[in-house]
Amino acid sequence: MITAVRTRAEALVADTLARLKALTPVRVIGDVIVMIATILLDLWPGPWAEHKTSGWALVGFAAVYLVLLPLRHVLPATVMIGGAAIPFLGPALMVVLSYTAGRRITSWVKAVVSTTLTFVVVVLAWDWDARPIDIEPVYGMLILITIFGVGVALPFLVGRYLAQREALVQAMQDREARMRIEHRMISRQVRLRERSRIAQDMHDSLGHRLSLISVHAGVLAMDPSLGDKQREAIGVLRSAALTGMEELRAIIGVLRAEDGPDDDPATRTVESIDSLVSDARKAGVLVSLVRGGQSHPLPSRVSHAAYRVAQEGLTNAAKHSPGAAVQVTVKYEPDALVVEVRNNPSRNGSPTGEPGVGLIGLSERVRVAGGILHVGALPSGGFRIAAVLPYEETALPEPEDEQEEAEPRRQIRKWAGVGSIAGASIVLTLIIGGFTVLGAQPVTEVVTQQNLDRIQEGQPEAEVMALLPSGDEPLVGDGERKSHAAPEPPGARCVYHITDEQSYRDEGTRVVRFCFRDGKLVEKKIHVQRTG
């Protein structure tokens, strides 16, 4: 536990130092502008202006902002969650904190957890009693979700979308750069191979002509009619021709050195493994050869790959486990050739080093042959190299790492940013849908003038209630209708309703009050509820 915490702390420090080193004047100026704009937006016309904060309180609020804004780059999730728990923080700061968290958090699991915790904190910190009007809980929750969606969720999703798109663009640029490098390498290899073919053609042509010169010179030297000086000159000519052939052969060998002698399938086949093992024994390696199964004709590419497996296995055993016993197995199975090289642990108890890069080339050789290569340590401490090779020619497969990794990368790049857009769409749908449902409700159930005229004092309470609307405005309680009314009659129970006839001249809302006592209507009075 302590080690894991220490590792995470070291990684955080290293990441912070790297970000500080990568700072540019433009980024610093941009961050300063964001900080000043955030403080000013929350100062005016934000919540600080409502409380008329001044003096040391204003300095303290600004200090909190100046600490949280730079810290959001280092601990984005923590600062976002903590900012939601501080009651006096303004909406501009929460938008900036949420946007930065979306940009900086890479794991989608951490993104979901952090936003969920932020919502829980917002719900717990919401003051349900300090409300300007008496609203029902369901509508209060809708308003709370709207505030969270606009101030936290949407900025977070926008930041996450932009970060994913930026990573996608960077990945595409890196891929294009790699493709350009690979194209140059392939072009160079093609040119080199073409030069090698030209050199081979030159070797065949010039070698043939030099051979003819040498043969004709040898025949001419045997002519008895020639003198000693002439014979000597002919000998020099023949010697020069032979020397030219040797030099030409050496030059061609240098030009074709990149192929190497081991890349000649004609001389390195599965049948040559016997001589390979024999040479290893002469060099002092304790090696045995085991053959099994009925011999089967093999394509040159497969036969050469089998030889390379045995060669690389013996080389690794001699290099990394000197003195250990080695066993080479060549077995013809019914459907494939199996070539295996395994060695015991080194006599000194530990290998002299890790397997070299030759295994990378060997895996490519086996892949080109259509086979499968297995490399790994044995439970006894030894090492094993085994290849399964087909009997028939097969199409060149893609490398395993590209097969396994290319598709996930394509999927990630294909869907980069889609999750953020989908999340933002869900948030907007909840907000718009909630207020659409709210707007469809009969929010103003008023008393019509017709029913108002039919209601008279002295009527039974049941008759009056049957003519009144069954509900009130959902967002406004009775307290918002009777604060400007006259005192209620003693011992009476009164209800307040809005009338359907309103006038802007009243500078308020016309409200009618019905008061009941002893089961009868004792008062019907209209008053104007002033606004503000």
Side-chain angles (χ1 to χ4, degrees):
M1 180 67 178
I2 298 177
T3 304
V5 173
R6 183 181 302 145
T7 303
R8 291 179 63 86
E10 292 176 353
L12 178 61
V13 171
D15 181 68
T16 303
L17 292 177
R19 287 183 168 273
L20 291 175
K21 292 179 181 179
L23 284 178
T24 60
V26 175
R27 294 182 61 183
V28 173
I29 294 174
D31 208 52
V32 171
I33 294 175
V34 170
M35 294 172 63
I36 296 175
T38 303
I39 294 176
L40 292 180
L41 286 174
D42 283 341
L43 177 64
W44 185 87
W48 294 356
E50 295 178 2
H51 295 84
K52 295 181 174 56
T53 305
S54 61
W56 288 107
L58 182 61
V59 174
F61 289 168
V64 173
Y65 274 53
L66 294 177
V67 171
L68 291 180
L69 286 171
L71 194 61
R72 77 187 194 277
H73 296 294
V74 182
L75 301 171
T78 304
V79 172
M80 181 179 67
I81 297 172
I86 301 177
F88 61 82
L89 294 185
L93 179 62
M94 280 308 303
V95 169
V96 173
L97 297 182
S98 302
Y99 172 80
T100 305
R103 291 274 296 184
R104 291 276 288 110
I105 297 175
T106 56
S107 171
W108 69 270
V109 176
K110 187 176 180 181
V112 172
V113 172
S114 59
T115 50
T116 303
L117 290 177
T118 304
F119 179 73
V120 172
V121 171
V122 169
V123 172
L124 295 178
W126 178 266
D127 191 354
W128 294 93
D129 296 328
R131 289 172 289 176
I133 57 176
D134 185 17
I135 57 176
E136 297 185 11
V138 62
Y139 302 112
M141 180 58 69
L142 178 59
I143 294 174
L144 179 60
I145 293 176
T146 302
I147 294 174
F148 175 80
V150 174
V152 178
L154 287 182
F156 184 91
L157 292 170
V158 169
R160 185 165 178 81
Y161 171 78
L162 294 178
Q164 290 173 333
R165 299 303 298 180
E166 182 179 334
L168 173 61
V169 171
Q170 184 63 41
M172 294 177 64
Q173 292 175 348
D174 294 342
R175 182 181 180 184
E176 290 178 357
R178 286 198 307 270
M179 291 178 65
R180 286 194 296 268
I181 294 174
E182 292 174 358
H183 178 71
R184 288 196 295 267
M185 293 176 61
I186 292 173
S187 299
R188 182 173 179 272
Q189 290 176 356
V190 170
R191 288 194 298 269
L192 290 176
R193 290 193 175 275
E194 188 61 27
R195 291 172 185 173
S196 177
R197 295 189 185 98
I198 294 172
Q200 181 64 38
D201 295 340
M202 291 174 60
H203 173 269
D204 296 340
S205 177
L206 294 179
H208 178 67
R209 294 183 181 275
L210 289 175
S211 298
L212 292 177
I213 293 174
S214 177
V215 171
H216 284 293
V219 173
L220 186 58
M222 298 176 63
D223 190 348
S225 63
L226 297 178
D228 293 336
K229 290 184 178 181
Q230 293 172 329
R231 293 178 187 277
E232 183 179 356
I234 293 174
V236 172
L237 177 61
R238 185 172 184 273
S239 176
L242 293 174
T243 303
M245 290 179 60
E246 294 296 333
E247 292 178 353
L248 179 62
R249 185 177 295 109
I251 293 174
I252 299 303
V254 171
L255 291 175
R256 302 188 64 194
E258 65 175 6
D259 291 338
D262 290 341
D263 290 330
D264 185 5
T267 59
R268 303 294 188 270
T269 63
V270 67
E271 288 78 13
S272 303
I273 295 179
D274 292 345
S275 60
L276 185 65
V277 172
S278 178
D279 293 339
R281 287 199 190 101
K282 293 177 183 178
V285 179
L286 300 176
V287 58
S288 61
L289 175 62
V290 178
R291 286 185 175 271
Q294 183 66 33
S295 179
H296 195 285
L298 301 173
S300 60
R301 191 165 59 190
V302 174
S303 184
H304 185 49
Y307 177 87
R308 287 296 306 274
V309 171
Q311 183 187 46
E312 186 64 30
L314 289 172
T315 301
N316 273 341
K319 181 178 179 182
H320 301 291
S321 298
V326 183
Q327 177 178 302
V328 180
T329 303
V330 179
K331 189 174 183 181
Y332 290 89
E333 297 289 350
D335 55 351
L337 172 66
V338 178
V339 181
E340 180 187 64
V341 181
R342 62 169 64 200
N343 60 269
N344 292 334
S346 176
R347 288 186 176 181
N348 57 16
S350 60
T352 59
E354 295 296 327
V357 296
L359 292 178
I360 300 177
L362 181 62
S363 63
E364 179 67 12
R365 177 74 61 177
V366 173
R367 182 190 69 83
V368 169
I372 301 174
L373 181 69
H374 173 78
V375 178
L378 295 172
S380 61
F383 199 78
R384 174 175 178 263
I385 299 176
V388 179
L389 299 166
Y391 288 144
E392 298 83 12
E393 290 277 4
T394 57
L396 295 183
E398 291 293 331
E400 292 183 2
D401 55 348
E402 294 183 5
Q403 288 178 338
E404 296 174 357
E405 297 178 8
E407 184 62 24
R409 281 200 299 267
R410 282 196 295 269
Q411 293 295 333
I412 292 174
R413 293 175 182 176
K414 178 181 178 181
W415 296 102
V418 176
S420 300
I421 296 299
S425 302
I426 293 174
V427 173
L428 289 175
T429 301
L430 290 176
I431 295 174
I432 297 174
F435 279 97
T436 300
V437 173
L438 179 62
Q441 300 299 318
V443 295
T444 307
E445 296 185 0
V446 298
V447 179
T448 63
Q449 188 62 39
Q450 180 181 1
N451 289 338
L452 188 60
D453 294 338
R454 293 171 58 186
I455 298 175
Q456 303 295 329
E457 294 183 1
Q459 280 184 270
E461 180 178 354
E463 294 182 7
V464 174
M465 295 301 296
L467 297 174
L468 296 180
S470 59
D472 298 324
E473 288 182 310
L475 293 178
V476 183
D478 288 340
E480 296 299 316
R481 296 191 180 98
K482 62 184 180 181
S483 59
H484 291 85
E488 297 179 353
R493 182 185 68 84
C494 301
V495 294
Y496 296 77
H497 290 276
I498 298 175
T499 65
D500 63 346
E501 290 189 359
Q502 302 289 333
S503 174
Y504 70 93
R505 296 178 181 177
D506 294 334
E507 297 182 355
T509 303
R510 298 186 70 199
V511 179
V512 60
R513 180 175 70 186
F514 302 93
C515 295
F516 303 94
R517 186 170 52 207
D518 298 331
K520 293 184 179 182
L521 178 66
V522 295
E523 182 186 77
K524 182 184 74 172
K525 182 177 290 187
I526 297 176
H527 70 275
V528 176
Q529 180 68 30
R530 305 294 180 182
T531 58

